[in-house]
Amino acid sequence: MKCRSLTAVAVALVAACTIEVPLDDKRCPCADDWICNPFTDTCERPTCDADVTTSNLSAQWSTSNEIFWTWDVAGQPSAFLSYELVLAESKDDLETRSGTARTFDVSTNSELGDPITSVVTRGLDPDTTYFAQLVVTDSSQCSFGSDIVARATRAEAQNSVVIFRDEPVAGGVLRPEDAGGPQVVSDGTGAHIEYVPRFHDACVPEDEDFDSVRALCGQPIKLQEMTLDVSRDEASPQLDRLNADTFGESFLEMSLSSEAPVDTLVFQIWFRLASCTTDDCRYVAGGFTLPANSGYEPIQIPLTEFRTADDVALTYEVLDVPDGEPIKEFGFSFQWHKTGTYRIDDIVIRH
């Protein structure tokens, strides 16, 4: 009986006590209503209740000078204010926003003012590892930061297959050829493609009042009638063409300049191979913006990101002549602003 009484007392004492477990500085993951500090990997009390949060920041691809990021967003869409994506070459620089840290926000990528879930960061150094954190801010000025992720850019590409440099290659013809359409214009050091939508009837019809027409048009511009073999000929290995080993890291690069008052949507860029006769079999990429009133800005897209309407990715095998095919058309369609002037130059495949 004595033993049972002591046991009962002990149980009662334990049941009556509340043991405080300190959560400050606890290693992540964290309990409900706490947040993880990704720089210290410890739990902290939030200073505000974020109405919009983000997760799963990830780098989907990289080239020598660009990284394409995606993420998830949750919360109240109406409370979204803006994103800020910060990159740095070390976690210390990322945390202090100093040294090598670079901030991409609405001033560099206007689309970060919308609740999107992807963006391309450009102008990066080759062969460099970048640490990244995405911060989303809601309308009450409460900010929420993602976990930190890292991705390296690729080494500087050493070889190029030219599609346009001062002039079209491989017999290419610039179209449309009607008055006011795109032109190859000399610029003193060479030549570039220039397009002024307001001079082109297909974009801004002459019989309509200029001020009343829609601000944008999607006129495609094409380099057609090419016979561009981009695969390496073993009989001429000195040519800077692609091969099976380099294709996976190859990318399209083109320099774009916009004199338009607003950002321009780069809707589609595509390759059409010799046997392709419909739009569905073109290999297409796109869906990013060109900043307003920008000087020449190189944009890069991995060749592996080009896909047909059936989501079939471009591969080296379909380009490897003679079993594969040469490229007969390269084209692009922007949402041209009617008051803009656009210049396109140095269209190359780099590897």
Side-chain angles (χ1 to χ4, degrees), residues 146-218:
S146 72
D147 289 341
I148 297 169
V149 298
R151 180 64 179 253
T153 51
R154 295 177 179 175
E156 185 72 46
Q158 300 299 314
N159 301 304
S160 299
V161 179
V162 176
I163 298 173
F164 178 94
R165 180 173 285 158
D166 299 330
E167 61 182 1
V169 302
V173 177
L174 181 63
R175 292 196 170 110
E177 297 180 280
D178 51 331
Q183 304 289 324
V184 176
V185 177
S186 176
D187 54 23
T189 59
H192 60 269
I193 298 171
E194 186 165 296
Y195 185 51
V196 187
R198 62 185 175 276
F199 296 154
H200 192 201
D201 284 353
C203 187
V204 182
E206 186 177 3
D207 59 354
E208 292 190 36
D209 177 51
F210 181 81
D211 293 330
S212 69
V213 299
R214 58 197 175 113
L216 306 173
C217 84

Side-chain angles (χ1 to χ4, degrees), residues 69 71 80-87 103-121 133-137 263 289:
W69 307 90
W71 59 86
F80 174 86
L81 182 62
S82 65
Y83 288 117
E84 182 181 84
L85 180 60
V86 185
L87 272 59
T103 299
F104 296 84
D105 55 20
V106 292
S107 67
T108 59
N109 299 70
S110 63
E111 62 269 35
L112 291 175
D114 297 317
I116 58 173
T117 55
S118 65
V119 77
V120 177
T121 50
Q133 184 184 39
L134 180 70
V135 177
V136 58
T137 301
D263 290 356
T289 57

Side-chain angles (χ1 to χ4, degrees), residues 163 170 225-230 271-274 319 325-330 349:
I163 298 173
E225 299 184 23
M226 296 190 296
T227 52
L228 179 60
D229 179 4
V230 300
F271 297 101
R272 188 191 298 272
L273 304 189
L319 297 170
E325 301 181 75
I327 296 170
K328 73 173 181 181
E329 176 182 294
F330 175 81
I349 295 172

